[in-house]
Each structure stands twice: as structure tokens, then as C-alpha cells.
Amino acid sequence: MEKKKVTVPLVCHGHSRPVVDLFYSPITPDGFFLISASKDSTPMLRNGETGDWIGTFEGHKGAIWSSCLDTKALRAASASADFSAKLWDALTGDELHSFEHKHIVRACAFSDDTHFLLTGGVEKILRIFDLNRLDAQPRLVDNSPGSIRTVAWLHSDQMILSSCTDTNGVRLWDVRSGKIVQTLETKSPVTSAEVSQDGRYITTADGSTVKFWDANHFGLVKSYDMPCDVESASLEPKHGNKFIAGGEDMWVHIFDFHTGEKLGCNKGHHGPVHCVRFSPGGESYASGSEDGTIRIWQTGPVTHEESDVLPGNEPSGKVKAVADEVARKIESGLHIAGEGKTGETDKATDASHGN
């Protein structure tokens, strides 16, 4: 029997509470970046390749449920239990604007053209904010059947999708009319919805099932039963030949997209996995957990037999290649609030976090 290889992740510390959402930027001239949302109220920006911490966005007073970057990674956005979504300068860490809501905000997403920010939450209302007119009232799309859990844009910003915390399925909305044009039916509420990089597939996780939908005709392409309830799933962006899923068993599972065959399993987290995402080039993927850590795993496994590197943020050849870029980002004045947040008192109780 073939000897099992042990995959060694980069372990990113810094959050003092569970990591509930991860988002990779596209590849930019400065590389690509990873932003994380945590119940500790501070989104963190990292180098997407090395996991090195760049900075922390400070200003929210409640759990962060979602965070994202625009296509050029120049601005960030975050959705919070403090009844607001915030827009940030991703180079300096400065807060550019706070969009007030009337209840917990669970999800946010920049449009592909970067002109709009979409939010959703407990109010059951989708809001579209014009980022060229920050003080203007948002456009409201308010027929969501339940509290909104996830949002995303598709079809060149002509459509948006949303899923609900307590209602099954994914709804697809026509932006122009504000009407639901299609519902993707699932047996459980959808906790993760991702539009593939090439725009072909929508990947959803509901209960113990991962499904792939045709993003143009909205038919179900594939559905695979998972070994446990999974909270998040992500499709490899370059070849589309594998996907990852993470959930309550604390492991990150890798599967063959075409057959559903299990290709591997990464163990290391000490709590349920809340979010998994592939990097834009597909060479690595990240997982965020109840244990407060982010782990970055290489798609081509780095193993103990192949490498002397031990778990953690140890340097590699790649780290040196982007060191100047990371230094430049830090020097540009991003608010640096050291990684060791584990000793901080929680700013708000779980009750205020909208659990």
C-alpha cells in the first residue's frame, strides 16, 4: 500500500476568535492577497502566496461575517454584526466610508467593475451601494425570503445571487428589474456559494452536499454527498478538475470534480472549518476555522519527505520573491495592530455577534 504523504500548511495566526470567511483577490501586478473575516471584529489582510500578515482594518465594534477585496485589491469591504458595512483603503488601512444598516450585515461583494458594493443580512434586504457616490441612498432589492447569508455577482454584474440562513436554495436576481429569475433548489440552507473564475459554475455547499450548477443555464451539473456536514466548498480555478470542502469534522477534503472521488484530506485545524477558498492561480488553498487560525495548503502537496519545512510561516524561495512587495505595503502605512491578539478581551459578546 502506498505510503500516505503528510501535507504541511502555512499556519496564519493573529485572529483571537473564529475565522468565518476568506476571500482571495485576483492576481494583480503586486501579487494576490487574502482577506479574512473573524468574530474578533478586525478583518486582516495577508499576502495570498505566503500568508504573511500585511495589516489589520480597525473600526468595527462587532463580529465580521464577510470581507472582500475589489478586483485590483485597492479597496476592501467588510460586513459586520455592528449593523454596518465598511469600505476601506487596502493600501493604507483607512476607513473610506461606513454604510449603516438596521440589523446584522452577513455578506458583502464588490461588482466586477468595482463601481458597486452589494450587501445582505438579517434585514432580508439586498442593498447595492454606488461607490462613486458614497453618500447616495443604496438601491434596495427587498424580496428575499429569509435572512441573507451569502451574496455574489455574476454575468458581468447583470445578475446577483443570494442564499439564506434559514431558507433552502439559492436565488438569482436580475439587477435591472430587481426580480428573482431563478431559484437553485437545495434540501438545506446554502452556507457557501462561489462563482467560478471562468464564470461557468456556481459551487454551493448545503448540509452534507456540494453541488455544481451551470452558471448560464442554471441546471444542476453535479452533486456529491460529503462525509459530514460541510460549511464551505471551492472549485479549483485553473483546470476545474478538483474541489475542496470543509466543515464540522475539522478536516479539509479534496475531491475529483468529475467523479467525486476523494483525493486527499488535510488535518490540522482544532475546530470546525467555516470557510475554504482556492487561490486565484489554483496553486494553493486556504481554510479558516473555529480555532482562529487560517491554514494555507499547497495544491501539489509539500510533504515531510520532500521538505524540511515545519508548520508555520517559514520562509521559502517564494517568500523572498515577494518580500519587497510586502514591505512596500506595510510601509505605506496600513494600520498595524500586532498579530498577538489572543490576549485581548472580546469587544462584544456572542449574543451581539448575531450567532
Side-chain angles (χ1 to χ4, degrees):
M1 192 167 164
E2 188 185 339
K3 185 180 178 183
K4 290 216 167 178
K5 293 180 177 179
V6 182
T7 304
V8 181
L10 296 168
V11 184
C12 307
H13 299 282
H15 285 298
S16 60
R17 304 218 51 234
V19 177
V20 293
D21 188 41
L22 292 169
F23 181 93
Y24 277 105
S25 76
I27 297 170
T28 75
D30 292 323
F32 61 93
F33 302 91
L34 175 66
I35 190 169
S36 53
S38 167
K39 291 184 182 180
D40 66 9
S41 82
T42 52
M44 287 189 180
L45 185 68
R46 295 178 184 274
N47 179 296
E49 189 169 18
T50 65
D52 287 342
W53 176 81
I54 295 172
T56 299
F57 300 99
E58 297 190 325
H60 278 295
K61 295 181 172 63
I64 310 298
W65 285 109
S66 174
S67 57
C68 57
L69 295 159
D70 68 14
T71 50
K72 294 178 180 174
L74 297 177
R75 291 176 299 180
S78 50
S80 174
D82 67 9
F83 294 18
S84 77
K86 290 186 187 292
L87 180 69
W88 311 87
D89 184 317
L91 297 177
T92 67
D94 293 335
E95 181 182 315
L96 299 176
H97 198 77
S98 185
F99 301 104
E100 299 308 312
H101 293 62
K102 292 173 183 163
H103 215 306
I104 292 161
V105 192
R106 287 296 302 261
C108 59
F110 283 103
S111 59
D112 285 343
D113 66 12
T114 74
H115 293 317
F116 299 95
L117 181 70
L118 171 66
T119 67
V122 177
E123 284 181 86
K124 307 181 183 180
I125 296 171
L126 291 163
R127 285 179 170 85
I128 301 172
F129 293 94
D130 185 340
L131 300 182
N132 298 314
R133 298 186 305 139
L134 293 176
D135 292 322
Q137 289 299 306
R139 183 165 165 216
L140 305 183
V141 180
D142 58 359
N143 290 318
S144 176
S147 171
I148 295 161
R149 171 75 181 259
T150 67
V151 296
W153 299 81
L154 66 165
H155 293 181
S156 304
D157 304 330
Q158 297 302 302
M159 295 188 77
I160 53 182
L161 66 78
S162 67
S163 72
C164 297
T165 305
D166 44 12
T167 308
N168 301 351
V170 172
R171 272 142 289 280
L172 295 143
W173 310 75
D174 180 85
V175 171
R176 215 167 295 158
S177 68
K179 299 277 196 303
I180 298 172
V181 293
Q182 189 81 24
T183 300
L184 310 181
E185 300 290 350
T186 62
K187 291 180 179 175
S188 306
V190 170
T191 50
S192 168
E194 174 191 76
V195 180
S196 65
Q197 198 168 280
D198 60 8
R200 287 178 63 193
Y201 297 109
I202 299 167
T203 304
T204 61
D206 72 287
S208 60
T209 309
V210 173
K211 294 182 173 68
F212 299 92
W213 311 81
D214 185 313
N216 294 301
H217 305 290
F218 308 122
L220 180 62
V221 178
K222 293 184 182 296
S223 178
Y224 295 121
D225 291 328
M226 297 288 104
C228 68
D229 278 0
V230 296
E231 200 170 326
S232 185
S234 183
L235 180 63
E236 194 280 327
K238 283 298 179 194
H239 308 289
N241 57 356
K242 62 184 75 160
F243 68 94
I244 50 173
E248 65 181 20
D249 68 358
M250 302 188 257
W251 300 346
V252 181
H253 301 271
I254 309 109
F255 299 91
D256 184 288
F257 169 75
H258 300 289
T259 66
E261 178 192 356
K262 189 170 172 179
L263 302 176
C265 174
N266 292 327
K267 304 175 183 181
H269 281 297
H270 302 293
V273 175
H274 294 308
C275 43
V276 293
R277 284 293 178 262
F278 265 104
S279 66
E283 68 283 343
S284 61
Y285 48 93
S287 53
S289 165
E290 182 74 16
D291 65 18
T293 68
I294 301 161
R295 289 169 191 260
I296 298 177
W297 314 80
Q298 296 303 310
T299 303
V302 176
T303 69
H304 283 304
E305 296 107 273
E306 296 170 359
S307 171
D308 296 323
V309 178
L310 294 172
N313 284 350
E314 286 75 14
S316 66
K318 288 184 177 177
V319 178
K320 293 184 184 66
V322 295
D324 291 343
E325 176 269 318
V326 174
R328 184 182 66 76
K329 293 265 181 186
I330 293 174
E331 285 165 11
S332 68
L334 189 54
H335 294 235
I336 295 171
E339 289 199 38
K341 290 188 166 284
T342 47
E344 281 192 5
T345 306
D346 289 342
K347 292 189 175 70
T349 64
D350 274 341
S352 73
H353 290 149
N355 282 339

